[in-house]
Amino acid sequence: MTFLQVFFGVLCLSVTKVSGVPVFAATENQTATACSLLKAQLGAVTFSPSQIEYLSLSTENWSETAWQKPICIVQPVDTSELQKAAQILTKQHVHFAIRSGGHSPSPLAANINDGVLIDMSMFNRVYYDAANDVAMIGAGLKWKDVYNHLDPYNVTVVGGRVLDVGVGGLILGGGLSYLSDLYGLACDNVVNFEVVLANGSIVDANAESNQDLFWALKGGGNNFGIVTTFTLSTYPIHQVWGGIKSYSFKELPALFSAMHEYQSNPKKDPYANLMMQAFPTNASFGVLLNMVYLKPEESPPAFDPFYVIPTTADTTKIQTLTEMMSGLQVPAISRWDWFATSFKPDASLYKEVETIVTTAPELEEIKSLTSGSMVLGMQPISSSLVDAGNARGGNALGLECINQTWFVLDAGWSFSNGDETAHNATRAIHDRIEDAGKSDGNYVPYIFMNDASWDQEVIGHYGAENVRRLWEVQRKYDPECVFQELASGGFKLPRTESV
């Protein structure tokens, strides 16, 4: 742990001062006063529990684990209203949360109890600048809206693979895309961030202006300000070959073997991308392979290791990339939690992971819950993804330039009385897999924010030097620690060094 990390961490403890006044958690009356000020200055865009719009807005988050009860909800319609809201909340020392699409299941990442929720859904415009090959995208949009706007121009952006995910959280957490082996992560393809800071001022962060903030926002989460608009590079990709191949669960060992062979190709085709999902608690669901080739060429050789494995269903065909992504179906389960870890591709480790996820005793604990389900996800990452990000100026993630796998465990269940059981059982399975990677030297010390559980130390795994730089950016753009203390949900900068 560096001196600066300790120093800045201490400065951002709960005795932080805002405008010279110590910040303590606002009382319910103080929060109510802030809501009254928001209502007086912003009018109809502020909603209290007595209003009909409040219920739908407070439960807009995808997973019920993120449903909360804010004192009020503010839904600014433009940047000037957001600036006023930021100034009021900072001056009144009121806790708040920011929601883009609200896909994260983390309880307080994009919602809040006894504070103010800033709902960004009115930042919903897309403007395509064909002359400069960029699109300006509002932070309140979901990826399906972005792609539907760009499809008529036969272009796309490096964005989410699940259409219902929000733009803001995905990009600020890194953002894995089917285009990532070609162009890097979503955050690497941002040309400009428009950001409202805690004091209400607005800045642009790009390669020429506020370069340190530009770097920090590429994976640094909600620690520095509220992004209103992302300007992203566009690419002429439209028609692709892809879809979902479905397999019997008994084919899981063969699919792990094929995954290793696919990842071991020294000349891996960057136009080929996939993710694998298996359902160890629901074997009848089998295994799903979401695959895409970013050219309209049928059955490309890049996926040869998988073609010999018999399928139970196959939707692969030439279609638009948006159509391909729309085929992904998420189980209709009300509560979710997930855990992420990373490791190098290794045949022996994959066999051990397959054994753990099919025999772990904690699976029975999850199955005992109403609708209790476990889904494992294998996301192959090529070194070309890291190279592409570095070529675009780099990001805050601290990624090693090696082939790796970003692994995720998703747990689903129905009722709140199962929250602790699901979380602890999933963590136990995750820890066993992570320990297996460490024991054979294949562990990669990186946690993908977009797939992490609420209590994983994500940013601490970016590396000591990157954490130090992030603290320096925080002190420069948020010297009063508003986004560490008042916007306390989400993944914060670590006060201690991770191992």
Side-chain angles (χ1 to χ4, degrees):
M1 182 166 50
T2 67
F3 169 77
L4 281 176
Q5 192 171 334
V6 174
F7 178 65
F8 291 153
V10 169
L11 284 180
C12 281
L13 293 174
S14 58
V15 294
T16 303
K17 293 185 177 182
V18 174
S19 301
V21 181
V23 171
F24 300 99
T27 66
E28 188 170 328
N29 285 340
Q30 287 173 303
T31 306
T33 298
C35 288
S36 297
L37 289 170
L38 289 167
K39 189 75 171 179
Q41 294 195 31
L42 302 180
V45 303
T46 303
F47 304 95
S48 62
S50 62
Q51 294 176 270
I52 191 170
E53 297 91 345
Y54 175 92
L55 179 60
S56 62
L57 286 172
S58 63
T59 58
E60 176 68 22
N61 300 66
W62 170 67
S63 171
E64 288 185 17
T65 53
W67 290 9
Q68 306 295 338
K69 295 181 178 179
I71 299 296
C72 68
I73 301 169
V74 60
Q75 194 179 59
V77 300
D78 57 28
T79 302
S80 64
E81 289 192 345
L82 180 60
Q83 290 176 284
K84 291 176 183 177
Q87 290 170 331
I88 290 171
L89 296 174
T90 299
K91 185 176 181 179
Q92 297 296 317
H93 314 155
V94 170
H95 284 283
F96 62 94
I98 309 144
R99 183 174 66 202
S100 170
H103 192 76
S104 171
S106 296
L108 298 174
N111 211 332
I112 193 168
N113 281 318
D114 302 326
V116 175
L117 172 62
I118 300 174
D119 177 85
M120 296 290 290
S121 60
M122 299 306 291
F123 288 79
N124 56 7
R125 293 183 176 86
V126 181
Y127 172 70
Y128 173 50
D129 180 355
N132 293 298
D133 295 321
V134 297
M136 285 163 276
I137 298 168
L141 286 162
K142 296 184 178 181
W143 288 107
K144 61 183 176 183
D145 304 310
V146 175
Y147 299 142
N148 286 338
H149 184 93
L150 296 176
D151 275 347
Y153 304 101
N154 293 333
V155 299
T156 193
V157 291
V158 179
R161 299 163 298 168
V162 179
L163 298 182
D164 199 45
V165 169
V167 164
L170 182 126
I171 295 178
L172 295 175
L176 186 56
S177 166
Y178 285 124
L179 281 66
S180 287
D181 280 1
L182 284 170
Y183 306 117
L185 296 169
C187 68
D188 297 319
N189 287 271
V190 178
V191 177
N192 185 73
F193 298 91
E194 182 184 81
V195 190
V196 171
L197 302 179
N199 62 8
S201 63
I202 188 165
V203 299
D204 286 310
N206 52 56
E208 286 77 40
S209 179
N210 300 305
Q211 296 156 314
D212 49 357
L213 180 60
F214 184 51
W215 172 84
L217 289 169
K218 297 180 182 183
N222 66 349
N223 286 289
F224 310 101
I226 305 173
V227 179
T228 64
T229 304
F230 301 86
T231 302
L232 291 176
S233 297
T234 60
Y235 301 100
I237 292 176
H238 186 59
Q239 290 285 328
V240 303
W241 177 86
I244 300 174
K245 288 182 179 287
S246 302
Y247 303 86
S248 168
F249 194 75
K250 69 180 182 181
E251 303 295 349
L252 185 58
L255 288 162
F256 268 109
S257 179
M259 179 70 80
H260 179 256
E261 183 179 349
Y262 167 81
Q263 291 180 274
S264 300
N265 187 338
K267 296 182 179 179
K268 193 267 178 189
D269 189 336
Y271 286 86
N273 213 306
L274 60 81
M275 63 176 174
M276 186 176 81
Q277 297 168 298
F279 301 80
T281 55
N282 310 81
S284 62
F285 291 177
V287 186
L288 303 179
L289 198 65
N290 299 265
M291 56 170 49
V292 64
Y293 193 70
L294 299 171
K295 298 178 182 179
E297 300 176 9
E298 292 188 355
S299 303
F303 299 122
D304 278 350
F306 299 99
Y307 295 149
V308 297
I309 304 173
T311 61
T312 57
D314 188 344
T315 68
T316 55
K317 60 182 179 180
I318 293 176
Q319 55 188 320
T320 71
L321 180 58
T322 305
E323 289 170 338
M324 177 266 160
M325 290 188 287
S326 70
L328 177 65
Q329 300 297 316
V330 179
I333 298 174
S334 57
R335 305 182 77 82
W336 289 92
D337 193 6
W338 44 49
F339 278 86
T341 190
S342 303
F343 39 74
K344 301 171 190 174
D346 180 80
S348 296
L349 176 60
Y350 282 7
K351 289 179 181 178
E352 190 167 0
V353 171
E354 187 264 329
T355 298
I356 292 171
V357 298
T358 55
T359 64
E362 292 85 3
L363 292 172
E364 294 303 316
E365 297 179 40
I366 294 171
K367 289 168 69 174
S368 72
L369 304 174
T370 303
S371 305
S373 302
M374 170 70 72
V375 186
L376 69 91
M378 295 278 287
Q379 302 169 121
I381 305 300
S382 297
S383 59
S384 63
L385 177 154
V386 184
D387 284 334
N390 290 337
R392 288 167 173 76
N395 56 50
L397 304 176
L399 297 174
E400 292 184 62
C401 193
I402 57 173
N403 291 344
Q404 55 196 276
T405 298
W406 293 355
F407 182 86
V408 60
L409 288 173
D410 299 337
W413 67 101
S414 290
F415 301 114
S416 60
N417 59 8
D419 288 2
E420 185 175 358
T421 297
H423 183 77
N424 291 339
T426 308
R427 172 175 278 286
I429 299 172
H430 160 275
D431 289 351
R432 202 169 293 126
I433 292 168
E434 191 164 277
D435 288 343
K438 290 178 178 178
S439 67
D440 63 10
N442 286 305
Y443 171 68
V444 174
Y446 172 70
I447 298 174
F448 182 35
M449 183 185 291
N450 298 143
D451 285 343
S453 188
W454 55 268
D455 59 352
Q456 290 192 271
E457 184 60 88
V458 171
I459 296 178
H461 284 75
Y462 290 3
E465 174 60 17
N466 283 2
V467 170
R468 182 193 65 78
R469 288 179 64 187
L470 288 168
W471 272 117
E472 288 184 343
V473 174
Q474 183 276 325
R475 289 298 299 161
K476 179 177 178 181
Y477 293 93
D478 183 24
E480 295 166 338
C481 296
V482 169
F483 287 95
Q484 297 302 304
E485 299 301 322
L486 297 183
S488 53
F491 297 100
K492 299 288 98 176
L493 301 183
R495 271 34 183 261
T496 58
E497 196 167 18
S498 295
V499 294

